[in-house]
């Protein structure tokens, strides 16, 4: 099969596009849709009720870190789904598919870079967010439940990092996971069993990779989305805590 | 003509800049996203991608031609009427080695690994020889893999 030459198509489109026409159609279509929906659902007043909430006077830069963390999470969900288009979770192919993404796929290095850096920066922003809550005393009643949900979210961010780190299946992945899985082995009684379960056997192998992958791309994201909804609902219901 | 106040002017300038910025970001990221997803010769190379061929005229005596086999770089060298096909990925840490016609050697730019024309290690840190590929001349066409 011949490969379809994208650039040739883009050139053709470039030549035939009439910018003003595109904008007109765009406004017509959105205006048309919005009007139809607004007519039936009274979107305007619904949106006003939700969006027209004044920001309290005492809000400053430190109140933004929860939002930063959320933005980074959205970036990672997006770039993570893009990585899934090429990543292969088997011990034979995982490393090769990562090298392939980085070297052969157009902009693959960028997608992977975003995923990597957002993952790492997210740990910092979530920690600053927690420090803000701590020093403002914002964890007190009636927001104590939200602190608990927040701690779970923090652990989820770390779990994302731990499970994602194994996926490239290189030396660092393998040994980091081995060490991580060995840590619980010193717990009394249950320790060795936890380690055995985490490693998926006596040493980290295909079973561990498959399960870490399942956790990283399906289980953790959905738990996070659920807890995050709770987190935001509670913030909305209780309002942001007052000035110091 | 209606007066434009300084405040209005600044407002609409800032709004326009934000609008342009958002549009540029949207256009550029859709472009990168489309390129990322679009199958290319390198990314869609299925089972048939493990071979490469080109006319012999593209490879002058003493030179090397780079091709992709299964998405990985390989070099075809023509020397004294013989053809040699080697993987170009250094067995040390994976840099791409280059052909030095004067010395008739492949030398790695990263840590100076040296290979002979059959891929055997002559010096430097590489632990293993370069893997070689089968290469034939079919009429006037060089077929690799
Ligand atoms: C809180 C969110 C997330 C964090 C902190 C995170 C973290 C990581 C880390 C540290 C890696 C290793 C990357 C590398 O070394 O280059 C990784 C890889 C990966 N992640 Fe995530 N991730 C997150 C969300 C997601 C989501 C939502 C998906 C998909 C639905 C996903 C899919 C992948 C895939 C396919 C890889 C392997 C590719 C690679 O290693 O570059 N991730 N992740
Ligand atoms: S990568 Fe070639 S000598 Fe080190």
């Amino acid at each position: 099969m011949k490969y379809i030459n994208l650039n040739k198509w883009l050139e053709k489109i470039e030549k035939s596009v009439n910018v003003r026409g595109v904008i007109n159609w765009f406004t017509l279509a959105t205006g048309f849709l919005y009007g139809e929906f607004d007519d039936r659902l009274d979107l305007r007043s619904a949106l006003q009720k939700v969006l027209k909430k004044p920001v309290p006077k005492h809000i400053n830069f430190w109140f933004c870190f929860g939002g930063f963390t959320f933005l980074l999470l959205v970036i990672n969900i997006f770039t993570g789904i893009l990585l899934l288009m090429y990543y292969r979770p088997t011990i034979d192919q995982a490393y090769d598919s990562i090298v392939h993404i980085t070297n052969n796929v157009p902009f693959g290095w960028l997608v992977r870079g975003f995923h990597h850096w957002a993952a790492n920066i997210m740990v910092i922003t979530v920690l600053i967010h927690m420090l803000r809550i701590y020093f403002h005393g914002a964890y007190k009643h009636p927001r104590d439940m939200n602190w608990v949900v927040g701690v779970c979210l923090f652990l989820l961010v770390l779990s994302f990092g731990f499970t994602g780190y194994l996926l490239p299946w290189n030396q660092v992945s393998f040994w980091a996971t081995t060490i991580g899985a060995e840590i619980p082995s010193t717990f009394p009684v249950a320790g060795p069993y936890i380690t055995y379960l985490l490693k998926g056997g006596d040493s980290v192998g295909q079973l561990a990779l498959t399960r870490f992958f399942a956790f990283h791309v399906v289980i953790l994201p959905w738990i996070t989305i659920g807890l995050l909804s709770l987190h935001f609902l509670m913030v909305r219901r209780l309002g942001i805590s007052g000035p110091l | 003509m209606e007066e434009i106040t300084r405040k209005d002017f600044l407002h609409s300038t800032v709004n326009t800049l934000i609008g342009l910025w958002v549009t540029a970001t949207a256009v550029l990221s859709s472009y990168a996203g489309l390129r990322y997803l679009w199958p290319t010769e390198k990314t869609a190379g299925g089972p048939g991608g493990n071979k490469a061929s080109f006319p012999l005229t593209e490879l002058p005596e003493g030179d090397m031609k780079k091709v992709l086999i299964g998405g990985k770089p390989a070099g075809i060298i023509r020397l004294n009427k013989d053809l040699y096909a080697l993987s170009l990925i250094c067995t040390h840490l994976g840099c791409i080695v280059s052909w030095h016609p004067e010395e008739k050697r492949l030398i790695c730019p990263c840590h100076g690994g040296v290979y002979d024309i059959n891929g055997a290690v002559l010096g430097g840190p590489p632990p293993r020889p370069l893997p070689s590929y089968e290469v034939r001349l079919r009429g006037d066409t060089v077929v690799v893999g």
Side-chain angles (χ1 to χ4, degrees):
Chain A
M1 204 192 94
K2 273 262 175 271
Y3 292 95
I4 303 165
N5 190 334
L6 184 66
N7 288 336
K8 211 159 76 189
W9 278 97
L10 287 177
E11 264 171 33
K12 265 193 198 162
I13 294 172
E14 249 169 58
K15 271 187 202 139
S16 59
V17 179
N18 143 10
V19 177
R20 182 180 292 252
V22 170
I23 294 174
N24 281 346
W25 276 106
F26 181 75
T27 42
L28 191 68
T30 48
F32 180 71
L33 283 179
Y34 180 77
E36 293 297 299
F37 276 111
D38 192 34
D39 180 34
R40 269 146 256 235
L41 303 169
D42 195 12
L43 285 185
R44 181 186 296 268
S45 50
L47 281 176
Q48 267 181 2
K49 214 171 153 191
V50 182
L51 297 177
K52 286 222 166 159
K53 195 168 159 64
V55 175
K57 282 252 167 3
H58 66 282
I59 296 301
N60 62 32
F61 182 61
W62 299 107
F63 287 71
C64 300
F65 279 84
F68 292 157
T69 314
F70 180 56
L71 174 68
L72 292 167
L73 180 80
V74 171
I75 289 179
N76 261 12
I77 291 179
F78 190 73
T79 54
I81 290 171
L82 284 179
L83 287 172
L84 282 178
M85 302 287 146
Y86 291 103
Y87 177 73
R88 301 194 197 125
T90 69
I91 56 177
D92 286 340
Q93 295 191 313
Y95 181 71
D96 281 345
S97 68
I98 295 289
V99 172
H100 181 64
I101 292 174
T102 324
N103 294 346
N104 295 343
V105 178
F107 295 102
W109 54 274
L110 189 66
V111 174
R112 193 172 169 225
F114 260 96
H115 198 77
H116 180 101
W117 284 101
N120 285 284
I121 296 169
M122 191 186 304
V123 178
I124 300 172
T125 56
V126 80
L127 277 172
I128 296 177
H129 177 58
M130 288 179 89
L131 286 175
R132 202 283 288 175
I133 306 297
Y134 180 77
F135 284 114
H136 282 177
Y139 53 81
K140 292 175 194 167
H141 183 84
R143 298 186 181 78
D144 44 358
M145 295 265 202
N146 226 2
W147 172 265
V148 175
V149 172
V151 170
C152 296
L153 284 166
F154 172 61
L155 294 177
L156 279 166
V157 168
L158 297 187
S159 318
F160 264 117
F162 184 56
T163 51
Y165 207 75
L166 181 65
L167 303 186
W169 199 254
N170 51 29
Q171 285 289 322
V172 199
S173 308
F174 179 85
W175 291 108
T177 305
T178 303
I179 292 166
E182 291 284 352
I183 292 172
S185 72
T186 55
F187 295 175
V189 191
Y193 299 99
I194 299 175
T195 297
Y196 188 76
L197 184 65
L198 272 175
K199 281 189 185 171
D202 290 322
S203 72
V204 175
Q206 178 64 61
L207 201 54
L209 181 60
T210 309
R211 290 178 183 178
F212 274 49
F213 179 66
F215 270 94
H216 191 81
V217 306
V218 183
I219 303 169
L220 296 180
W222 285 111
I223 299 178
T224 308
I225 289 169
L227 286 182
L228 213 53
S229 313
L230 257 180
H231 201 65
F232 291 160
L233 270 175
M234 280 199 261
V235 171
R236 202 54 209 254
R237 181 84 180 115
L238 299 168
I240 207 80
S241 59
L244 284 177
Chain B
M1 211 183 87
E2 229 178 284
E3 281 285 319
I4 303 173
T5 64
R6 181 187 161 83
K7 194 175 163 188
D8 282 343
F9 175 73
L10 284 176
H11 256 266
S12 30
T13 312
V14 170
N15 281 346
T16 313
L17 286 178
I18 295 177
L20 286 175
W21 178 257
V22 170
T23 316
T25 313
V27 169
L28 288 178
S29 37
S30 333
Y31 174 76
L34 185 60
R35 286 285 309 277
Y36 178 83
L37 293 175
W38 198 263
T40 66
E41 201 174 340
K42 276 187 191 171
T43 58
N50 291 332
K51 276 192 182 3
S53 62
F54 55 87
L56 186 63
T57 47
E58 284 180 18
L59 181 57
E61 167 68 28
D63 257 10
M64 183 185 85
K65 186 176 164 63
K66 274 192 197 174
V67 295
L68 284 177
I69 296 180
K72 293 186 179 161
I76 321 304
I77 303 164
R78 185 176 170 194
L79 192 65
N80 304 330
K81 294 189 182 111
D82 275 332
L83 289 170
Y84 303 81
L86 294 171
S87 156
L88 293 181
I89 302 173
C90 183
T91 56
H92 178 223
L93 290 175
C95 291
I96 302 301
V97 299
S98 45
W99 169 239
H100 291 242
E102 327 77 48
E103 295 128 66
K104 302 194 176 21
R105 305 225 152 124
L106 294 121
I107 301 178
C108 179
C110 290
H111 319 97
V114 184
Y115 304 88
D116 75 6
I117 186 134
N118 293 309
V121 181
L122 297 180
R128 270 166 284 116
L130 292 173
S132 55
Y133 294 102
E134 224 177 279
V135 56
R136 273 156 297 141
L137 201 55
R138 211 180 271 154
D140 279 339
T141 309
V142 181
V143 183
V144 197

